[in-house]
């Protein structure tokens, strides 16, 4: 029971970390497309993620689904607690998902503007909201002794969580800009290199601010952290990747820059997860009321069955996802099939 | 209006909207697997054009299906938290399997199928649509596993949350006989036998029934849209191939749906959910040699009765239990608090069956005309096919209503009542906000979807030379 719960905590973190890395640049590209005026440029942005965004979003479903399956009480508590925020997120993801198919199906400028806006805002809102939601988890939710959420929608918009939301928003945008330096040429590539370098500085400042704020808001997250070897591995990875992003960008090595920004996002997320462990949702009312991997996990049978499913299925997913990424590698060129 | 009712309406609207799209995309994915195979193996340009044309419809349908599906899944957590907590241990495994084995496969390979036509070999490109189809089938399987478990739970135990102990089989049976259901605050279901839960009594009958319904939907979409093109004299040679394939497959699927698939499913319901069976058949009092209703108008006001009946005596007993004189339990044998809403269950079930019969009839006509080599000149029949495009989708909705309304008042048959499973920590205002928000989205999306699909259909298949153009066409 113990070991299986720990394994599933780890798997959920891995699934969500992959999601953050993959949909992170999707969101970034969408956000950056808001700042392009030219129709063809907007299309290049959208098509740079055209064949792959849908597969990327599945990682969210896989992550969410495994929380439902492995820690049902977390799913029930968090999702009903974040009620309106979840619906806002869903609305954004919904409009974004359909904007791909709809956007270029008419020449009308107004029509295209509507769907460009859906695509852009549909990327910006999730990038922000996912951060705000995660900030609330880091901060802890008001949970009573029955593990029931007792807060309200507006309490979710507290300064700390908004700070984390800004961090995720800017970090995803930087990640997207770096992805675009890889997928575009000429002026667009130069612009995105500049944007990425500038946003990198903002990310560093926000991350420092967030760390300090966490010390004050959720000091319990730091207890025992420095004794954890995984923390140190992630911490070194984080520092190294943060340092290497501007170096790679300067050296025009876009591929490396993208790898480093991916590592940065994954290790940021990983460090937060390590500090939360074994809690999944701390309770601010009383830490003892927290949802942990012990008091929320599914039965041994379910966890075992799911582990087998994951071990059998995920290697295939990894193989064909990488294979298809390779097919679509290279600069984005608009063709008859493009969105 | 209270939180429970509004949450139910919201869920019904969400699933109802979502369920418009998967039958189309599953069915079209199958049809496209066939079409693209012909294009590849026979090196037939017309099939390639047909495939490319329908792939656009698939892409739009798939996108709306995915977007609305996400809303559906998250709603378990937002509006049905007590249900999620109760069934999570059982329900989670099939959902996780669906994500791992199906969602990744469909979404990833759909990207390759839509954008890879000129990037990979024809064989690999065909493989990509095959994987989309296989992925959609696996997806259908696991979601039906989860839903079937709600109809006929198996392979589970009940855990007392305070003590952590599992209830004995006797205690569970006693609780079920008591007919009140468990309280999700004190008990939850846990998985004890994965395969028994996976292949519970209704999984396979419902899986075959549902995917066949999707295949019929795909075949009718292929036939109807192609028929329109023939009527409008657009890319006629391409369209004729679509009509032909669609009619033949549509006929085969429609027949199989009646027998053995639909029949087996009905038999299973008669054995495992007698209240639901009685409600779909309008059997208000127990009868030996029960008749089957061809037509009737149900009146719910107590006592419920059927008006304007047309019936075949003994038929229902024979179909359900293989004996013209078998006794079938009517609703009078069940406590009133365990009876599903009658009118909706009866009417939607019978409309579904009527539509199913119509599908057999109209595709039979199509096959006959095809055999006589007169199909493409039968303007009237082609028009009927064109207007029939939405009918399988409507039949799917009827079938779903019959299945899910017929399960009420249970959310998990015999174990958990719907009234004990909605999220009771969310305010009515919050549910109104989400409901109105998404009701608007669904209305707008329905129009946008239809507008886009009509636009694609009117545009018709691309001429051959555009498809053959090289990789780097800058537009």
């Amino acid at each position: 029971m113990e070991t299986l719960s720990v394994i599933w905590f780890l798997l959920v973190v891995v699934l969500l970390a992959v999601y953050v890395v993959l949909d992170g640049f999707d969101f970034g590209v969408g956000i950056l497309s808001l700042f392009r005026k030219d129709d063809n440029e907007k299309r290049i942005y959208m098509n740079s993620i055209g064949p792959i965004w849908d597969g990327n979003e599945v990682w969210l479903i896989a992550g969410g689904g495994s929380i439902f399956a492995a820690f049902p009480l977390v799913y029930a508590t968090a999702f009903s607690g974040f009620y309106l925020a979840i619906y806002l997120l869903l609305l954004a993801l919904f409009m974004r998902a359909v904007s791909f198919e709809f956007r270029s199906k008419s020449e009308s400028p107004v029509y295209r503007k509507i769907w460009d806006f859906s695509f852009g805002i549909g990327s910006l809102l999730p990038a922000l909201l996912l951060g705000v939601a995660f900030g609330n988890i880091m901060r802890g939710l008001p949970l009573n002794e029955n593990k029931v959420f007792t807060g309200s929608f507006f309490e979710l918009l507290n300064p700390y969580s908004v700070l984390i939301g800004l961090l995720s928003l800017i970090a995803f945008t930087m990640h997207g800009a770096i992805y675009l330096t890889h997928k575009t040429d000429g002026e667009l590539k130069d612009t995105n290199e500049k944007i990425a370098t500038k946003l990198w500085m903002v990310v560093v400042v926000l991350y420092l601010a967030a760390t300090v704020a966490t010390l004050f808001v959720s000091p319990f997250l730091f207890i025992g952290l420095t004794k954890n070897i995984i923390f140190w591995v992630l911490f070194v990875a984080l520092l190294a990747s943060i340092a290497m992003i501007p170096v790679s960008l300067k050296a025009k090595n876009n591929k490396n820059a993208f790898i480093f920004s991916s590592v940065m996002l994954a290790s940021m997320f990983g460090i937060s997860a390590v500090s939360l462990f074994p809690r999944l949702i701390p309770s601010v009312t009383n830490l003892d009321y927290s949802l942990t991997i012990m008091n929320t996990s599914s039965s041994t049978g379910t966890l075992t069955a799911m582990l087998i499913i994951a071990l059998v299925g995920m290697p295939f997913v990894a193989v064909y996802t990488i294979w298809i990424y390779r097919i679509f590698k290279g600069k984005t060129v608009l063709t008859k099939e493009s969105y | 209006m209270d939180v429970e009712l509004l949450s139910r309406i919201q869920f019904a609207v969400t699933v109802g909207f979502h369920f418009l799209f998967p039958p189309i995309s599953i069915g079209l994915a199958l049809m496209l697997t066939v079409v693209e195979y012909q294009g590849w193996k026979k090196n037939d340009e017309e099939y390639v054009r047909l495939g490319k044309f329908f792939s656009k419809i698939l892409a739009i349908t798939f996108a709306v299906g995915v977007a609305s599906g996400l809303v559906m899944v998250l709603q378990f957590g937002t509006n049905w938290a007590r249900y999620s907590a109760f069934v999570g241990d059982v329900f989670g495994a099939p959902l996780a399997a669906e994500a791992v084995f199906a969602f990744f496969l469909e979404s990833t390979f759909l990207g390759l199928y839509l954008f890879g036509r000129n990037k990979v070999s024809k064989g690999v490109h065909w493989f990509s649509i095959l994987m989309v189809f296989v992925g959609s089938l696996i997806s259908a399987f696991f979601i039906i596993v989860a839903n079937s478990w709600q109809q006929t739970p198996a392979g589970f135990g009940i855990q007392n949350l305070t003590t952590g102990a599992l209830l004995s089989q006797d205690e569970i049976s006693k609780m079920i006989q008591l007919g009140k259901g468990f309280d999700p605050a004190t008990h939850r279901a846990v998985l004890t036998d994965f395969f028994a839960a996976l292949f519970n009594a209704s999984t396979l009958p419902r899986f075959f029934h549902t995917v066949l319904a999707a295949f019929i939907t795909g075949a009718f979409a292929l036939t109807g849209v192609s028929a329109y093109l023939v009527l409008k004299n657009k890319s006629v040679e391409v369209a004729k191939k679509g009509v032909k394939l669609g009619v033949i497959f549509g006929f085969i699927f429609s027949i199989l749906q009646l027998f053995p698939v639909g029949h087996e499913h009905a038999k299973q319901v008669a054995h495992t959910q007698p209240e639901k069976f009685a409600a779909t058949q309008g059997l208000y009092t127990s009868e030996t040699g029960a008749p089957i209703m061809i037509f009737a108008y149900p009146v719910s006001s107590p006592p419920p009765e059927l008006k304007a009946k047309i019936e075949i005596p003994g038929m229902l007993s024979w179909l359900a239990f293989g004996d013209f004189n078998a006794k079938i339990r009517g609703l009078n044998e069940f406590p009133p608090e365990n009876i599903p809403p009658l009118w909706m269950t009866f009417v939607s079930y019978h409309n579904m069956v009527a539509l199913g019969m119509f599908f057999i009839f109209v595709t039979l006509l199509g096959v006959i005309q095809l055999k006589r080599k007169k199909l493409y000149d039968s303007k009237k029949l082609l028009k009927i096919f064109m207007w029939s495009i939405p009918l399988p989708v409507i039949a799917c909705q009827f079938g779903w209503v019959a299945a899910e309304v017929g399960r009420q008042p249970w959310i998990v048959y015999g174990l958990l009542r719907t009234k004990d499973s909605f999220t009771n920590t969310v305010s009515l205002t919050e549910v109104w906000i989400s409901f109105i928000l998404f009701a608007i989205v669904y209305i707008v999306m329905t129009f946008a979807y239809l507008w886009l699909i009509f636009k694609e259909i009117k545009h018709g298949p691309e001429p051959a030379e555009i498809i053959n153009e090289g990789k780097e066409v800058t537009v």
Side-chain angles (χ1 to χ4, degrees), chain B residues 26-50:
Chain B
I26 296 172
L28 271 187
L30 172 63
M31 290 294 110
L32 280 171
T33 308
V34 176
V35 168
E36 299 279 6
Y37 186 79
Q38 303 279 340
W40 168 41
K41 280 287 165 177
K42 291 188 180 163
N43 212 358
D44 187 328
E45 201 55 54
E46 280 161 1
Y47 276 113
V48 176
R49 289 172 63 197
L50 186 67

PDB file of all heavy atoms in Angstrom, chain B residues 26-50:
ATOM      1  N   ILE B  26     -16.105   8.171 -34.656  1.00  0.00           N
ATOM      2  CA  ILE B  26     -15.762   6.742 -34.678  1.00  0.00           C
ATOM      3  C   ILE B  26     -16.191   6.130 -36.016  1.00  0.00           C
ATOM      4  O   ILE B  26     -15.424   5.435 -36.686  1.00  0.00           O
ATOM      5  CB  ILE B  26     -16.445   5.986 -33.514  1.00  0.00           C
ATOM      6  CG1 ILE B  26     -15.927   6.486 -32.167  1.00  0.00           C
ATOM      7  CG2 ILE B  26     -16.223   4.482 -33.640  1.00  0.00           C
ATOM      8  CD1 ILE B  26     -16.686   5.937 -30.969  1.00  0.00           C
ATOM      9  N   GLY B  27     -17.425   6.432 -36.412  1.00  0.00           N
ATOM     10  CA  GLY B  27     -17.950   5.880 -37.661  1.00  0.00           C
ATOM     11  C   GLY B  27     -17.173   6.359 -38.870  1.00  0.00           C
ATOM     12  O   GLY B  27     -16.822   5.576 -39.764  1.00  0.00           O
ATOM     13  N   LEU B  28     -16.881   7.661 -38.904  1.00  0.00           N
ATOM     14  CA  LEU B  28     -16.137   8.181 -40.047  1.00  0.00           C
ATOM     15  C   LEU B  28     -14.715   7.646 -40.074  1.00  0.00           C
ATOM     16  O   LEU B  28     -14.157   7.392 -41.146  1.00  0.00           O
ATOM     17  CB  LEU B  28     -16.098   9.717 -40.001  1.00  0.00           C
ATOM     18  CG  LEU B  28     -17.240  10.462 -40.686  1.00  0.00           C
ATOM     19  CD1 LEU B  28     -16.935  11.949 -40.695  1.00  0.00           C
ATOM     20  CD2 LEU B  28     -17.458   9.958 -42.110  1.00  0.00           C
ATOM     21  N   ALA B  29     -14.119   7.456 -38.891  1.00  0.00           N
ATOM     22  CA  ALA B  29     -12.762   6.911 -38.851  1.00  0.00           C
ATOM     23  C   ALA B  29     -12.755   5.516 -39.480  1.00  0.00           C
ATOM     24  O   ALA B  29     -11.853   5.175 -40.249  1.00  0.00           O
ATOM     25  CB  ALA B  29     -12.235   6.862 -37.417  1.00  0.00           C
ATOM     26  N   LEU B  30     -13.777   4.722 -39.190  1.00  0.00           N
ATOM     27  CA  LEU B  30     -13.862   3.395 -39.801  1.00  0.00           C
ATOM     28  C   LEU B  30     -14.027   3.519 -41.315  1.00  0.00           C
ATOM     29  O   LEU B  30     -13.328   2.871 -42.097  1.00  0.00           O
ATOM     30  CB  LEU B  30     -15.043   2.612 -39.207  1.00  0.00           C
ATOM     31  CG  LEU B  30     -15.347   1.288 -39.915  1.00  0.00           C
ATOM     32  CD1 LEU B  30     -14.187   0.321 -39.791  1.00  0.00           C
ATOM     33  CD2 LEU B  30     -16.609   0.643 -39.360  1.00  0.00           C
ATOM     34  N   MET B  31     -14.971   4.372 -41.736  1.00  0.00           N
ATOM     35  CA  MET B  31     -15.218   4.531 -43.168  1.00  0.00           C
ATOM     36  C   MET B  31     -13.961   5.024 -43.875  1.00  0.00           C
ATOM     37  O   MET B  31     -13.628   4.594 -44.972  1.00  0.00           O
ATOM     38  CB  MET B  31     -16.366   5.525 -43.390  1.00  0.00           C
ATOM     39  CG  MET B  31     -17.723   5.000 -42.969  1.00  0.00           C
ATOM     40  SD  MET B  31     -18.256   3.623 -43.999  1.00  0.00           S
ATOM     41  CE  MET B  31     -18.141   2.297 -42.889  1.00  0.00           C
ATOM     42  N   LEU B  32     -13.240   5.941 -43.217  1.00  0.00           N
ATOM     43  CA  LEU B  32     -12.028   6.472 -43.836  1.00  0.00           C
ATOM     44  C   LEU B  32     -10.929   5.428 -43.889  1.00  0.00           C
ATOM     45  O   LEU B  32     -10.118   5.428 -44.827  1.00  0.00           O
ATOM     46  CB  LEU B  32     -11.545   7.720 -43.075  1.00  0.00           C
ATOM     47  CG  LEU B  32     -12.313   8.990 -43.431  1.00  0.00           C
ATOM     48  CD1 LEU B  32     -11.946  10.120 -42.497  1.00  0.00           C
ATOM     49  CD2 LEU B  32     -12.012   9.384 -44.876  1.00  0.00           C
ATOM     50  N   THR B  33     -10.898   4.538 -42.900  1.00  0.00           N
ATOM     51  CA  THR B  33      -9.912   3.457 -42.946  1.00  0.00           C
ATOM     52  C   THR B  33     -10.147   2.615 -44.195  1.00  0.00           C
ATOM     53  O   THR B  33      -9.210   2.228 -44.891  1.00  0.00           O
ATOM     54  CB  THR B  33     -10.025   2.579 -41.686  1.00  0.00           C
ATOM     55  OG1 THR B  33      -9.981   3.425 -40.538  1.00  0.00           O
ATOM     56  CG2 THR B  33      -8.885   1.594 -41.593  1.00  0.00           C
ATOM     57  N   VAL B  34     -11.418   2.364 -44.502  1.00  0.00           N
ATOM     58  CA  VAL B  34     -11.756   1.593 -45.705  1.00  0.00           C
ATOM     59  C   VAL B  34     -11.422   2.398 -46.959  1.00  0.00           C
ATOM     60  O   VAL B  34     -10.760   1.909 -47.884  1.00  0.00           O
ATOM     61  CB  VAL B  34     -13.258   1.220 -45.691  1.00  0.00           C
ATOM     62  CG1 VAL B  34     -13.633   0.501 -46.968  1.00  0.00           C
ATOM     63  CG2 VAL B  34     -13.584   0.368 -44.480  1.00  0.00           C
ATOM     64  N   VAL B  35     -11.871   3.649 -46.977  1.00  0.00           N
ATOM     65  CA  VAL B  35     -11.673   4.492 -48.164  1.00  0.00           C
ATOM     66  C   VAL B  35     -10.178   4.674 -48.465  1.00  0.00           C
ATOM     67  O   VAL B  35      -9.727   4.484 -49.601  1.00  0.00           O
ATOM     68  CB  VAL B  35     -12.352   5.869 -47.951  1.00  0.00           C
ATOM     69  CG1 VAL B  35     -11.913   6.857 -49.014  1.00  0.00           C
ATOM     70  CG2 VAL B  35     -13.863   5.713 -47.952  1.00  0.00           C
ATOM     71  N   GLU B  36      -9.405   5.006 -47.436  1.00  0.00           N
ATOM     72  CA  GLU B  36      -7.984   5.256 -47.665  1.00  0.00           C
ATOM     73  C   GLU B  36      -7.250   3.977 -48.075  1.00  0.00           C
ATOM     74  O   GLU B  36      -6.274   4.013 -48.812  1.00  0.00           O
ATOM     75  CB  GLU B  36      -7.323   5.842 -46.402  1.00  0.00           C
ATOM     76  CG  GLU B  36      -7.904   7.180 -45.941  1.00  0.00           C
ATOM     77  CD  GLU B  36      -7.360   8.383 -46.724  1.00  0.00           C
ATOM     78  OE1 GLU B  36      -6.605   8.173 -47.701  1.00  0.00           O
ATOM     79  OE2 GLU B  36      -7.712   9.523 -46.358  1.00  0.00           O
ATOM     80  N   TYR B  37      -7.751   2.853 -47.570  1.00  0.00           N
ATOM     81  CA  TYR B  37      -7.133   1.579 -47.948  1.00  0.00           C
ATOM     82  C   TYR B  37      -7.311   1.345 -49.449  1.00  0.00           C
ATOM     83  O   TYR B  37      -6.377   0.955 -50.142  1.00  0.00           O
ATOM     84  CB  TYR B  37      -7.773   0.440 -47.153  1.00  0.00           C
ATOM     85  CG  TYR B  37      -7.098  -0.896 -47.383  1.00  0.00           C
ATOM     86  CD1 TYR B  37      -5.899  -1.201 -46.742  1.00  0.00           C
ATOM     87  CD2 TYR B  37      -7.646  -1.831 -48.251  1.00  0.00           C
ATOM     88  CE1 TYR B  37      -5.265  -2.416 -46.965  1.00  0.00           C
ATOM     89  CE2 TYR B  37      -7.019  -3.050 -48.479  1.00  0.00           C
ATOM     90  CZ  TYR B  37      -5.835  -3.341 -47.830  1.00  0.00           C
ATOM     91  OH  TYR B  37      -5.195  -4.543 -48.052  1.00  0.00           O
ATOM     92  N   GLN B  38      -8.513   1.622 -49.947  1.00  0.00           N
ATOM     93  CA  GLN B  38      -8.785   1.482 -51.381  1.00  0.00           C
ATOM     94  C   GLN B  38      -7.876   2.421 -52.164  1.00  0.00           C
ATOM     95  O   GLN B  38      -7.324   2.058 -53.191  1.00  0.00           O
ATOM     96  CB  GLN B  38     -10.250   1.831 -51.675  1.00  0.00           C
ATOM     97  CG  GLN B  38     -11.259   1.023 -50.905  1.00  0.00           C
ATOM     98  CD  GLN B  38     -11.504  -0.332 -51.515  1.00  0.00           C
ATOM     99  OE1 GLN B  38     -11.213  -0.557 -52.677  1.00  0.00           O
ATOM    100  NE2 GLN B  38     -12.013  -1.254 -50.717  1.00  0.00           N
ATOM    101  N   GLY B  39      -7.754   3.641 -51.658  1.00  0.00           N
ATOM    102  CA  GLY B  39      -6.927   4.626 -52.355  1.00  0.00           C
ATOM    103  C   GLY B  39      -5.476   4.182 -52.418  1.00  0.00           C
ATOM    104  O   GLY B  39      -4.789   4.352 -53.422  1.00  0.00           O
ATOM    105  N   TRP B  40      -5.027   3.584 -51.325  1.00  0.00           N
ATOM    106  CA  TRP B  40      -3.618   3.182 -51.252  1.00  0.00           C
ATOM    107  C   TRP B  40      -3.367   1.924 -52.089  1.00  0.00           C
ATOM    108  O   TRP B  40      -2.503   1.901 -52.966  1.00  0.00           O
ATOM    109  CB  TRP B  40      -3.250   2.953 -49.775  1.00  0.00           C
ATOM    110  CG  TRP B  40      -1.939   2.269 -49.543  1.00  0.00           C
ATOM    111  CD1 TRP B  40      -0.766   2.484 -50.218  1.00  0.00           C
ATOM    112  CD2 TRP B  40      -1.666   1.254 -48.572  1.00  0.00           C
ATOM    113  NE1 TRP B  40       0.231   1.668 -49.720  1.00  0.00           N
ATOM    114  CE2 TRP B  40      -0.285   0.904 -48.713  1.00  0.00           C
ATOM    115  CE3 TRP B  40      -2.427   0.617 -47.596  1.00  0.00           C
ATOM    116  CZ2 TRP B  40       0.327  -0.068 -47.906  1.00  0.00           C
ATOM    117  CZ3 TRP B  40      -1.805  -0.344 -46.785  1.00  0.00           C
ATOM    118  CH2 TRP B  40      -0.445  -0.687 -46.951  1.00  0.00           C
ATOM    119  N   LYS B  41      -4.143   0.871 -51.825  1.00  0.00           N
ATOM    120  CA  LYS B  41      -3.875  -0.424 -52.450  1.00  0.00           C
ATOM    121  C   LYS B  41      -4.202  -0.418 -53.936  1.00  0.00           C
ATOM    122  O   LYS B  41      -3.479  -0.974 -54.753  1.00  0.00           O
ATOM    123  CB  LYS B  41      -4.675  -1.529 -51.742  1.00  0.00           C
ATOM    124  CG  LYS B  41      -4.023  -1.995 -50.453  1.00  0.00           C
ATOM    125  CD  LYS B  41      -2.777  -2.831 -50.754  1.00  0.00           C
ATOM    126  CE  LYS B  41      -1.943  -2.960 -49.494  1.00  0.00           C
ATOM    127  NZ  LYS B  41      -0.761  -3.798 -49.631  1.00  0.00           N
ATOM    128  N   LYS B  42      -5.327   0.232 -54.286  1.00  0.00           N
ATOM    129  CA  LYS B  42      -5.712   0.234 -55.702  1.00  0.00           C
ATOM    130  C   LYS B  42      -5.082   1.414 -56.428  1.00  0.00           C
ATOM    131  O   LYS B  42      -5.267   1.569 -57.631  1.00  0.00           O
ATOM    132  CB  LYS B  42      -7.237   0.335 -55.833  1.00  0.00           C
ATOM    133  CG  LYS B  42      -7.966  -0.898 -55.364  1.00  0.00           C
ATOM    134  CD  LYS B  42      -9.439  -0.766 -55.719  1.00  0.00           C
ATOM    135  CE  LYS B  42     -10.211  -1.981 -55.254  1.00  0.00           C
ATOM    136  NZ  LYS B  42     -11.656  -1.719 -55.207  1.00  0.00           N
ATOM    137  N   ASN B  43      -4.372   2.245 -55.660  1.00  0.00           N
ATOM    138  CA  ASN B  43      -3.790   3.456 -56.216  1.00  0.00           C
ATOM    139  C   ASN B  43      -4.856   4.273 -56.956  1.00  0.00           C
ATOM    140  O   ASN B  43      -4.646   4.763 -58.057  1.00  0.00           O
ATOM    141  CB  ASN B  43      -2.641   3.080 -57.159  1.00  0.00           C
ATOM    142  CG  ASN B  43      -1.573   4.158 -57.126  1.00  0.00           C
ATOM    143  OD1 ASN B  43      -1.729   5.161 -56.434  1.00  0.00           O
ATOM    144  ND2 ASN B  43      -0.508   3.965 -57.876  1.00  0.00           N
ATOM    145  N   ASP B  44      -6.017   4.366 -56.346  1.00  0.00           N
ATOM    146  CA  ASP B  44      -7.172   4.990 -56.979  1.00  0.00           C
ATOM    147  C   ASP B  44      -7.307   6.438 -56.514  1.00  0.00           C
ATOM    148  O   ASP B  44      -7.603   6.705 -55.351  1.00  0.00           O
ATOM    149  CB  ASP B  44      -8.427   4.178 -56.614  1.00  0.00           C
ATOM    150  CG  ASP B  44      -9.648   4.664 -57.366  1.00  0.00           C
ATOM    151  OD1 ASP B  44      -9.718   5.877 -57.656  1.00  0.00           O
ATOM    152  OD2 ASP B  44     -10.530   3.835 -57.635  1.00  0.00           O
ATOM    153  N   GLU B  45      -7.103   7.348 -57.438  1.00  0.00           N
ATOM    154  CA  GLU B  45      -7.119   8.779 -57.130  1.00  0.00           C
ATOM    155  C   GLU B  45      -8.457   9.222 -56.535  1.00  0.00           C
ATOM    156  O   GLU B  45      -8.521  10.088 -55.677  1.00  0.00           O
ATOM    157  CB  GLU B  45      -6.833   9.557 -58.407  1.00  0.00           C
ATOM    158  CG  GLU B  45      -6.332  10.965 -58.184  1.00  0.00           C
ATOM    159  CD  GLU B  45      -5.088  10.982 -57.290  1.00  0.00           C
ATOM    160  OE1 GLU B  45      -4.093  10.288 -57.572  1.00  0.00           O
ATOM    161  OE2 GLU B  45      -5.156  11.704 -56.280  1.00  0.00           O
ATOM    162  N   GLU B  46      -9.548   8.595 -57.027  1.00  0.00           N
ATOM    163  CA  GLU B  46     -10.868   9.042 -56.565  1.00  0.00           C
ATOM    164  C   GLU B  46     -11.101   8.715 -55.098  1.00  0.00           C
ATOM    165  O   GLU B  46     -11.698   9.502 -54.361  1.00  0.00           O
ATOM    166  CB  GLU B  46     -11.954   8.429 -57.441  1.00  0.00           C
ATOM    167  CG  GLU B  46     -12.077   9.210 -58.747  1.00  0.00           C
ATOM    168  CD  GLU B  46     -12.767   8.445 -59.853  1.00  0.00           C
ATOM    169  OE1 GLU B  46     -13.183   7.286 -59.630  1.00  0.00           O
ATOM    170  OE2 GLU B  46     -12.897   9.015 -60.953  1.00  0.00           O
ATOM    171  N   TYR B  47     -10.603   7.568 -54.678  1.00  0.00           N
ATOM    172  CA  TYR B  47     -10.722   7.242 -53.254  1.00  0.00           C
ATOM    173  C   TYR B  47      -9.872   8.183 -52.408  1.00  0.00           C
ATOM    174  O   TYR B  47     -10.261   8.573 -51.306  1.00  0.00           O
ATOM    175  CB  TYR B  47     -10.300   5.788 -52.991  1.00  0.00           C
ATOM    176  CG  TYR B  47     -11.401   4.787 -53.239  1.00  0.00           C
ATOM    177  CD1 TYR B  47     -11.322   3.869 -54.261  1.00  0.00           C
ATOM    178  CD2 TYR B  47     -12.531   4.788 -52.421  1.00  0.00           C
ATOM    179  CE1 TYR B  47     -12.338   2.950 -54.489  1.00  0.00           C
ATOM    180  CE2 TYR B  47     -13.541   3.877 -52.634  1.00  0.00           C
ATOM    181  CZ  TYR B  47     -13.451   2.964 -53.670  1.00  0.00           C
ATOM    182  OH  TYR B  47     -14.459   2.068 -53.881  1.00  0.00           O
ATOM    183  N   VAL B  48      -8.699   8.542 -52.924  1.00  0.00           N
ATOM    184  CA  VAL B  48      -7.844   9.467 -52.181  1.00  0.00           C
ATOM    185  C   VAL B  48      -8.556  10.796 -51.997  1.00  0.00           C
ATOM    186  O   VAL B  48      -8.566  11.384 -50.906  1.00  0.00           O
ATOM    187  CB  VAL B  48      -6.489   9.663 -52.906  1.00  0.00           C
ATOM    188  CG1 VAL B  48      -5.651  10.707 -52.185  1.00  0.00           C
ATOM    189  CG2 VAL B  48      -5.749   8.346 -52.981  1.00  0.00           C
ATOM    190  N   ARG B  49      -9.200  11.260 -53.071  1.00  0.00           N
ATOM    191  CA  ARG B  49      -9.935  12.541 -52.975  1.00  0.00           C
ATOM    192  C   ARG B  49     -11.097  12.429 -51.994  1.00  0.00           C
ATOM    193  O   ARG B  49     -11.364  13.341 -51.224  1.00  0.00           O
ATOM    194  CB  ARG B  49     -10.437  12.950 -54.360  1.00  0.00           C
ATOM    195  CG  ARG B  49      -9.313  13.402 -55.288  1.00  0.00           C
ATOM    196  CD  ARG B  49      -9.821  13.609 -56.690  1.00  0.00           C
ATOM    197  NE  ARG B  49     -10.812  14.683 -56.759  1.00  0.00           N
ATOM    198  CZ  ARG B  49     -11.642  14.830 -57.794  1.00  0.00           C
ATOM    199  NH1 ARG B  49     -11.619  13.992 -58.803  1.00  0.00           N
ATOM    200  NH2 ARG B  49     -12.506  15.828 -57.799  1.00  0.00           N
ATOM    201  N   LEU B  50     -11.785  11.290 -52.067  1.00  0.00           N
ATOM    202  CA  LEU B  50     -12.905  11.069 -51.145  1.00  0.00           C
ATOM    203  C   LEU B  50     -12.393  11.086 -49.694  1.00  0.00           C
ATOM    204  O   LEU B  50     -12.984  11.712 -48.816  1.00  0.00           O
ATOM    205  CB  LEU B  50     -13.562   9.721 -51.465  1.00  0.00           C
ATOM    206  CG  LEU B  50     -14.844   9.379 -50.694  1.00  0.00           C
ATOM    207  CD1 LEU B  50     -15.962  10.317 -51.092  1.00  0.00           C
ATOM    208  CD2 LEU B  50     -15.261   7.930 -50.954  1.00  0.00           C
TER     209      LEU B  50
END
